[in-house]
């Protein structure tokens, strides 16, 4: 029996949309009420999570959508998963919710086994973890670890801070508050707080009006697809971008302490990076003493056919820090070099030091992904889906372009000729019962759960074939 | 029947410490194991939350401490509160845990009533909320709201961004990424991310090695106590500090868009601000077009004898943004001016937009605080405790100084002559069964739950009287 049938014996067999438009009247009314206490303008519809199940999200009007967006790539196993419900009802969870500890000062007896389950799922080469609350938080905690590491290398790990450092830091001035940079990439998305926001470079609307650190953005390779037919051109593109990276590291007015990169830029348009590119970044970061951070917030936890997407590149030696959130529900960074643990306590610290309730959920997700061989399944279903999409692309070359994600599980995307057509396609798909998301200006991104199967792919493909046919040029 | 007896009929009647030292052998061993996967260096002991109850925290060795620190001021009602357990087992909670929505895009049907419970507890003058994940996150979200508001006033709320803004923001350069400052205070604590960290100014160890925004820190009044006997001197101190605030606003090289202040600086040493000072900050911020943010992360939710500490000052017109976290478990900011909702969606946005599980807990806490009249109780118990501490101070003027927090509920603190003596006192209290925290260099801060009663105060006072007597000069 498949994992999905086992988890969700009563999952709908197909989408049902009964309202003339989406959002339907109940959603519209409910969102109006919600709008009085919350910014409901970005809401697509009001969801009924009690009725949602498996790969189907149900809205307030009773419409059931096949969910290929899954809360911006954040639902790992499907809605109302029985194993997660079990975890949610466990005594450990009740305590995590009602007796939330300041984990650094008064850790609970069960913290070590809870963290161990998360560590058992760590990327190859990583065996330590520090916990946070969201993707943005995870990246900023990783930046803090990187800055401390970078300065410790200069000062000596156990060297004392100078009197000047201790004085100037209280004035936000160097050398106590050093001017150090994180290098990221154009079209990158690493979150929307102030440091993560300075490394984010996907859309102006994410950043306008906020002060930012003067940090550099290199160019991320923009490949011709299909990859197999464009190897030479794409290698040249890699080399062009790598040169920009090295030039920025050596010429930026402030030292570049860390580099952060997504193995596939997700929010920025599902731009892929080759194994060659990711490995060369390792070589460059080692050459120039730069901390190498991989952001797996959206790409992590199985969706690409590996537990962590950058494992496809088998980067050697392993990268320094790997950040996670979204599908793992818990957030934080993995690492392996003990020198990334600061020389004193209370340097990487805050009241909560993570969210124990979400750590328990993460442990349960990791266990299920392993027990049910879901990564293998994602690879199989992804290859099936990709093959069908290739056909659709070849039949509609004017409306379906740059299909990407071959052999990257269900982490698949393509472009439409324009933003308006992409938006029209997503709207049409919603009306046909498929909830699908976009990214960048004109891309469609598929982000189903890990329990998405061929039968779900077929439903999506049928709706998509119709929607593409109906799409006006 | 008192709230505490009703909640916790089997709460211990006194602390029990059976180990020769704290942490005891089981804690030491458990922390060693934990240390292999987590930074356990700041841990005081390993806690057993299954056995903890009400105002007592139990450790891995079975020691039961009267908890007057309460997870760095973050446990509102006591351990294993039956009403919170009920909320934790509710169907809404199960769904929040297993079907965590991207609240902005796919909000749940029950989000509006959940938020309404939080809003019902809003400070006087505030009727809207935006949600985050921690105190640092709440403050940074408030900074974002403040920066957007500040620029909207200059540009016009509905005016379009200029082409130059849209271009420069992608380079982290002005005018798209404007150079704007948040003014905070010396000894302030607002969190440890990069922008919140730039406004934090309590200890170098919180900030060393991290890049910071060049933001100013004004001086926070440092009063002579008791307040009633030092009115003239303290008013002069207020005026001295207010002048510094205004000088910084008018002279800082970059525009000061916002001011953030704690009504009582907590981490920084329980420094109180007078009604006069907080009102004058309102006058100054209005005069100079600066957004006024009150940080109630530690002072909020009843501990000072008001729902929110700054309500003591009855600031008019109400401040612009009030941030919360800790005892409320959920985090975010309250506001009232609709112009603090940005002119476009997706400007104040992220994947989670808050943590629905913690929102449910916050709603339950708010309900209980109201139903059980806990704020009144806190006032009564606080006055009782403060009176006894006054006696202790007058009997030990060399070891017990600057008692503060009169008529501020149980939010009480005092100084010892030195850091070493303060640490020795806290250690001695722990051995006597009272878990108490420090702040700043040489202060003791009391942060019990809201269900702390006279009987608990008596236990603390007895241990404290002994510990002070035993303290070496």
């Amino acid at each position: 029996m498949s994992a999905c049938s086992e988890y969700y014996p009563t999952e709908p067999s197909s989408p049902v949309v009964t309202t003339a438009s989406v959002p339907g009247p109940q959603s519209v009314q409910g969102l109006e009420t919600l709008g009085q206490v919350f910014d409901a303008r970005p809401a697509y519809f009001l969801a009924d999570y009690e009725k949602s199940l498996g790969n189907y999200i149900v809205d307030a009007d009773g419409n059931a959508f096949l969910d290929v967006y899954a809360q911006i790539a954040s639902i790992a196993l499907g809605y109302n998963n029985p194993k997660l419900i079990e975890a949610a009802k466990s005594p450990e969870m009740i305590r995590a919710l009602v007796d939330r500890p300041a984990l650094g000062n008064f850790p609970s007896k069960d913290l070590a086994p809870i963290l161990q389950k998360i560590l058992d799922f760590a990327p190859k080469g990583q065996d330590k973890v520090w916990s946070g609350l969201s993707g943005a938080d995870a990246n900023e905690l990783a930046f803090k670890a990187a800055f401390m590491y970078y300065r410790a290398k200069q000062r000596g790990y156990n060297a004392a801070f100078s009197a000047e450092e201790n004085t100037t830091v209280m004035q936000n001035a160097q050398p106590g508050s050093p001017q150090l940079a994180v290098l990221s990439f154009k079209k990158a998305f690493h979150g929307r707080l102030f440091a993560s926001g300075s490394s984010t470079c996907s859309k102006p609307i994410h950043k306008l009006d906020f002060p930012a650190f003067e940090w550099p953005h290199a160019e991320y390779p923009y490949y011709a697809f299909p990859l197999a037919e464009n190897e030479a051109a794409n290698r040249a593109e890699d080399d062009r971008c790598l040169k920009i990276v090295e030039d920025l590291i050596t010429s930026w007015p402030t030292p570049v302490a860390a580099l952060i990169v997504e193995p596939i830029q997700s929010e920025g348009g599902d731009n892929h990076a080759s194994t060659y590119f990711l490995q060369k970044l390792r070589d460059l970061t080692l050459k120039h003493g730069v901390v190498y951070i991989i952001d797996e917030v959206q790409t992590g936890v199985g969706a690409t056919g590996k537990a962590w997407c950058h494992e496809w590149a088998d980067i050697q030696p392993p990268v320094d820090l790997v950040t996670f959130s979204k599908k793992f529900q818990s957030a934080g960074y993995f690492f392996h070099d003990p020198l990334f643990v600061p020389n004193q306590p209370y340097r990487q610290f805050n009241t909560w030091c993570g969210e124990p309730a979400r750590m328990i959920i993460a442990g349960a997700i990791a266990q299920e992904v392993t027990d049910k061989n879901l990564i293998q399944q994602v690879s199989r279903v992804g290859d099936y889906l990709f093959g069908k999409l290739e056909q659709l692309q070849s039949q509609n070359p004017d409306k379906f372009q740059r299909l990407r994600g071959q052999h990257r599980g269900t982490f698949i995307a393509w472009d439409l000729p324009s933003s308006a057509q992409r938006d029209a396609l997503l709207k049409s798909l919603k009306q046909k019962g498929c909830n699908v998301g976009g990214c960048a200006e004109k891309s469609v991104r598929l982000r189903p759960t890990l329990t998405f199967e061929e039968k779900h792919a077929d439903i999506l493909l049928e709706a998509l074939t119709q929607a593409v046919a109906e799409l006006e040029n």
Side-chain angles (χ1 to χ4, degrees), chain A residues 130-141:
Chain A
W130 185 248
S131 48
L133 300 171
S134 68
D137 189 46
N139 285 332
E140 298 212 353
L141 291 170

Side-chain angles (χ1 to χ4, degrees), chain A residues 23 35 45 67 91 101 118 141 162 224 234 265 280 283 286 297 316 337 364 380 421 423 444:
Chain A
F45 51 74
D67 198 356
I118 289 175
L141 291 170
S162 70
N234 291 340
Q265 287 187 328
K280 284 287 174 190
D283 301 344
L286 283 178
V297 169
Q316 294 301 335
D337 182 343
R380 188 194 72 220
Q421 283 169 302
D423 294 348
V444 173

Side-chain angles (χ1 to χ4, degrees), chain A residues 387-406:
Chain A
K388 299 281 187 181
L389 291 169
E390 275 185 315
Q391 291 172 23
L392 197 58
Q393 175 170 249
S394 67
Q395 289 154 8
N396 301 275
D398 51 335
K399 298 178 191 166
F400 199 116
Q401 297 156 357
R402 293 188 79 244
L403 178 65
R404 36 209 196 275
Q406 188 167 34

Side-chain angles (χ1 to χ4, degrees), chain A residues 416 419-429 467 471-472:
Chain A
L416 278 90
S419 194
Q421 283 169 302
R422 188 271 312 272
D423 294 348
L425 183 78
L426 295 181
K427 194 176 171 191
S428 166
L429 283 172
L471 199 66
E472 288 176 25

Side-chain angles (χ1 to χ4, degrees), chain A residues 122-126 308 310-311 314 316 318:
Chain A
K124 248 175 75 179
Q126 313 295 341
W308 303 94
H310 76 285
E311 291 177 320
D314 192 26
Q316 294 301 335

Side-chain angles (χ1 to χ4, degrees), chain A residues 376-392 403 405-410 412 446 452-462:
Chain A
Q376 273 179 276
Q377 172 177 314
V378 166
S379 295
R380 188 194 72 220
V381 175
D383 285 350
Y384 172 79
L385 177 57
F386 193 91
K388 299 281 187 181
L389 291 169
E390 275 185 315
Q391 291 172 23
L392 197 58
L403 178 65
Q406 188 167 34
H407 305 315
R408 287 296 178 271
T410 53
I412 294 170
L446 304 185
F452 190 85
E453 297 182 351
E454 286 85 349
K455 66 181 180 190
H456 305 110
D458 286 338
I459 290 166
L460 172 67
L461 288 160
E462 192 187 327

